[in-house]
Amino acid sequence: MSCPSNAFGYNGSYCACEPGYWRQHNGSCALFSGGGSDWITSSGVGSSSTVFSTVLPLENIRRFTQSQAVLLEATLALLLVWLFFCFLIRFAPLRSGRNSVWFRLRWWISRFDFFFSTEHWLDDNKVVVKRKTELGGTFSVASWILFVGLFSALLYQMITKRSIEVHRLIPANLPDLQSFVNDLEFNITIFSSMSCSQLRGLDTLVIGTPGTIEYRVLSLSTYVDYQCKNTSSGPTISLKCTSCQIPRRNHYISWQFVDIPNAPAMAVGFQFNISSKDHNNEKHISFVSGILITHNHTNDKPRTFRGADLNILEVHLFPQIYKNLHDLKLIKPLVHDFVSGSSFSEVAELQASLLNPKDGLINTTLRVSYLSDYMVEIDKENVMGPVGFLANVGGIYSVSIAIFLYLLVQCEARIKKLRNEDNLLRKIKSQRRAQCNWEKLRKYVIYTWHPSILNDKNSNNNQNSLMLNSCCGVRSLHRKQLSRGGSLPIDKLFLNSNEATIAWLLIMNRVHERHGVDA
């Protein structure tokens, strides 16, 4: 007969997968990897929530910033980029401030001088003036970048490492152990192509060590609820115990999977998922889960479990009291050991086992015990309180300012050109403002009267008229003409006034052109 890839025939009409391979739904055989051999164990309370976790996306923050080094490196990179940009922009031409992007950038950088405007170089015997310079603006923004970066690292530390967990080992006695009432659940999945119809013997609970006086054999249904479910990965055995106390003796639960026609009893791995939660408080769960793959053996070849030898999983139940959670009492499960039973790594050995009726089963035993001598008392102590946090914020702020204040003082003390560097930008800004105001006046004069009025000839006549009127007195001349019986039209009087105004504006224009300041 023909069998699929990675399979072999046995008993003349059946096919079985090679060691380490298991049958899929489409009939093919695939190598079982299990996704890794790491066991996952909770730190105590798996579903606990805090105020920060409900307000801030802490999981996203932890993924983005695995440590404070990421925040500090980002802060340093941004700081260097800002300082390098400000260093390069000082070499750009100002062009007297007219339509210059570089002048506007340098001007606004000088406006950012918030911290050092009164800390610049001061000459003796001069009035202290609040100055805003480009160098001060550069270092002020750099101080903010450093402060925000360090503050972010401090805030991340406060969120993720604001407290430490303290474990104390205390002696245990019978009343303390009886006060632990938890809901325990054991889920064991056997990775195989078997089904629950092959399950046998899951109905007995053994208490105590065989051969001792405390040895008991009881019905499993009187202690736990058990069932078998068929899943895509194989049969899953579920054991649930509601309001269970810590067992004071070893408990053994055994079961078997046997051969049925066209469905041999063999498996490639086991998955264990054991959880515990307080009966009256379902928010907090203590659990352990993991997958045992065949590569965990000393022989790295893929293996298949089958045969009469027992596969034993040893689980310890450890009592823990959480003082920080209102004396929450949880029974923490710990996987102590797994003793592998019969298994095969060669095709010939597995083929011979399939033909041997004595090997037609998988024996599995769950051994549950507890550590009765001591209990663990868990509490959390805050590393940083509100006063310490505020003190750290103040220290970060002071350090950020002090570093760049020292750099500012050193730069201005060693480079004399930087002591009065604000004069150049302020002078250019003043000239631009004066030019803008004067252009507005020129447009007003042109629009109100006539462009020819601003010619040099008319300007000279207007200036002479203004000087004559100022010396002899325009109003007295008008009075004399009116007293002699002469008549002066009203529009002539207004014209003389306009000429005087225009002449004054032209004089101010000459002053502006000579000195370049706003008169």
Side-chain angles (χ1 to χ4, degrees):
M1 63 173 298
S2 64
C3 294
S5 178
N6 299 317
F8 61 91
Y10 72 97
N11 203 15
S13 59
Y14 298 108
C15 291
C17 294
E18 295 179 357
Y21 290 81
W22 63 315
R23 189 180 297 276
Q24 305 295 304
H25 295 286
N26 56 6
S28 62
C29 294
L31 181 64
F32 177 72
S33 61
S37 59
D38 294 336
W39 287 76
I40 302 174
T41 305
S42 72
S43 59
V45 283
S47 61
S48 61
S49 60
T50 60
V51 176
F52 285 107
S53 61
T54 57
V55 177
L56 299 175
L58 294 183
E59 293 300 326
N60 296 333
I61 295 176
R62 291 190 183 99
R63 294 192 198 101
F64 181 72
T65 56
Q66 296 297 327
S67 64
Q68 291 182 346
V70 177
L71 293 173
L72 297 178
E73 290 173 0
T75 301
L76 181 60
L78 184 60
L79 183 61
L80 293 178
V81 169
W82 168 253
L83 294 177
F84 185 69
F85 169 75
C86 293
F87 175 76
L88 291 181
I89 205 175
R90 293 184 68 92
F91 295 97
L94 295 177
R95 298 179 183 176
S96 300
R98 295 184 178 181
N99 299 325
S100 177
V101 177
W102 306 114
F103 173 79
R104 288 197 292 268
L105 288 176
R106 294 181 63 176
W107 173 259
W108 280 111
I109 290 176
S110 66
R111 298 304 93 187
F112 292 149
D113 190 358
F114 301 110
F115 299 137
F116 311 117
S117 57
T118 58
E119 303 294 340
H120 292 282
W121 182 274
L122 300 175
D123 294 334
D124 293 336
N125 301 325
K126 287 191 176 181
V127 179
V128 178
V129 179
K130 187 175 182 179
R131 299 168 52 197
K132 289 190 175 183
T133 67
E134 188 178 353
L135 186 64
T138 299
F139 285 157
S140 292
V141 175
S143 300
W144 271 113
I145 294 175
L146 181 60
F147 172 74
V148 172
L150 296 178
F151 178 77
S152 301
L154 177 64
L155 189 63
Y156 173 77
Q157 179 184 5
M158 188 192 71
I159 293 175
T160 57
K161 301 177 181 179
R162 63 188 179 276
S163 61
I164 59 175
E165 194 171 77
V166 180
H167 292 235
R168 300 183 181 90
L169 210 61
I170 59 176
N173 52 36
L174 183 60
D176 292 334
L177 296 177
Q178 290 178 347
S179 64
F180 283 82
V181 179
N182 283 190
D183 296 340
L184 300 175
E185 183 174 354
F186 299 80
N187 292 305
I188 300 97
T189 301
I190 297 91
F191 289 98
S192 65
S193 58
M194 298 185 300
S195 64
C196 289
S197 60
Q198 299 175 248
L199 177 64
R200 302 289 186 273
L202 186 62
D203 55 3
T204 303
L205 173 65
V206 176
I207 300 178
T209 304
T212 61
I213 194 172
E214 58 185 13
Y215 179 73
R216 299 286 188 276
V217 178
L218 304 173
S219 175
L220 183 62
S221 59
T222 58
Y223 283 84
V224 299
D225 297 328
Y226 64 92
Q227 61 176 339
C228 180
K229 298 181 292 184
N230 290 319
T231 65
S232 58
S233 301
T236 298
I237 296 176
S238 179
L239 306 171
K240 295 182 180 180
C241 179
T242 304
S243 301
C244 287
Q245 293 182 343
I246 295 180
R248 293 186 292 275
R249 300 173 184 86
N250 294 332
H251 287 49
Y252 299 89
I253 303 173
S254 300
W255 62 87
Q256 300 175 349
F257 284 93
V258 299
D259 289 343
I260 61 175
N262 200 24
M266 56 183 185
V268 293
F270 300 89
Q271 181 181 18
F272 303 98
N273 190 344
I274 308 170
S275 62
S276 172
K277 62 182 178 180
D278 189 271
H279 183 69
N280 298 320
N281 187 354
E282 297 183 355
K283 292 182 180 180
H284 308 289
I285 301 175
S286 182
F287 67 93
V288 59
S289 64
I291 297 176
L292 176 68
I293 62 176
T294 55
H295 299 291
N296 287 352
H297 297 276
T298 55
N299 186 357
D300 292 336
K301 292 182 179 180
R303 305 178 70 87
T304 295
F305 295 97
R306 175 180 170 83
D309 293 343
L310 283 174
N311 298 287
I312 304 174
L313 174 67
E314 297 185 9
V315 178
H316 286 326
L317 301 180
F318 203 83
Q320 292 182 338
I321 302 175
Y322 292 88
K323 289 293 185 180
N324 57 305
L325 297 175
H326 308 289
D327 291 338
L328 174 67
K329 296 182 178 180
L330 279 182
I331 302 174
K332 182 177 180 62
L334 299 173
V335 176
H336 177 66
D337 192 12
F338 179 80
V339 181
S340 175
S342 302
S343 61
F344 302 94
S345 60
E346 300 294 338
V347 175
E349 295 177 354
L350 182 58
Q351 188 176 22
S353 176
L354 291 172
L355 299 176
N356 185 5
K358 295 182 179 180
D359 289 342
L361 74 164
I362 298 177
N363 272 334
T364 307
T365 297
L366 176 65
R367 177 176 179 265
V368 181
S369 61
Y370 80 111
L371 304 177
S372 60
D373 294 337
Y374 295 95
M375 296 186 303
V376 177
E377 187 178 80
I378 301 174
D379 199 358
K380 285 190 175 182
E381 297 180 359
N382 291 329
V383 177
M384 183 182 302
V387 177
F389 175 75
L390 294 177
N392 289 336
V393 172
I396 290 174
Y397 180 81
S398 301
V399 169
S400 302
I401 300 298
I403 291 175
F404 291 100
L405 176 60
Y406 175 77
L407 294 177
L408 177 69
V409 171
Q410 292 298 318
C411 290
E412 292 187 346
R414 299 177 184 275
I415 305 175
K416 294 183 179 180
K417 184 179 178 180
L418 299 177
R419 298 179 183 180
N420 300 301
E421 66 167 356
D422 59 326
N423 293 338
L424 178 61
L425 295 178
R426 291 173 60 187
K427 184 177 180 180
I428 294 176
K429 195 73 174 178
S430 178
Q431 290 177 354
R432 289 184 59 192
R433 189 182 298 110
Q435 183 66 30
C436 181
N437 293 337
W438 179 247
E439 291 297 332
K440 292 180 181 178
L441 291 176
R442 289 176 63 89
K443 290 179 181 179
Y444 173 75
V445 171
I446 293 173
Y447 177 79
T448 306
W449 291 280
H450 195 270
S452 61
I453 295 177
L454 298 178
N455 294 336
D456 292 339
K457 183 177 179 181
N458 293 336
S459 178
N460 293 332
N461 294 334
N462 290 334
Q463 292 181 28
N464 295 332
S465 177
L466 177 62
M467 293 175 63
L468 179 62
N469 290 336
S470 63
C471 295
C472 301
V474 177
R475 295 183 182 275
S476 61
L477 180 61
H478 291 166
R479 289 196 190 97
K480 289 180 181 179
Q481 291 179 353
L482 291 174
S483 64
R484 293 176 182 177
S487 63
L488 184 64
I490 190 67
D491 56 345
K492 297 282 187 176
L493 180 61
F494 285 124
L495 181 59
N496 292 335
S497 300
N498 292 334
E499 289 177 353
T501 303
I502 295 172
W504 172 254
L505 293 177
L506 291 175
I507 292 173
M508 300 308 297
N509 185 22
R510 294 295 179 86
V511 174
H512 166 74
E513 291 177 353
R514 288 184 179 181
H515 301 283
V517 296
D518 187 6

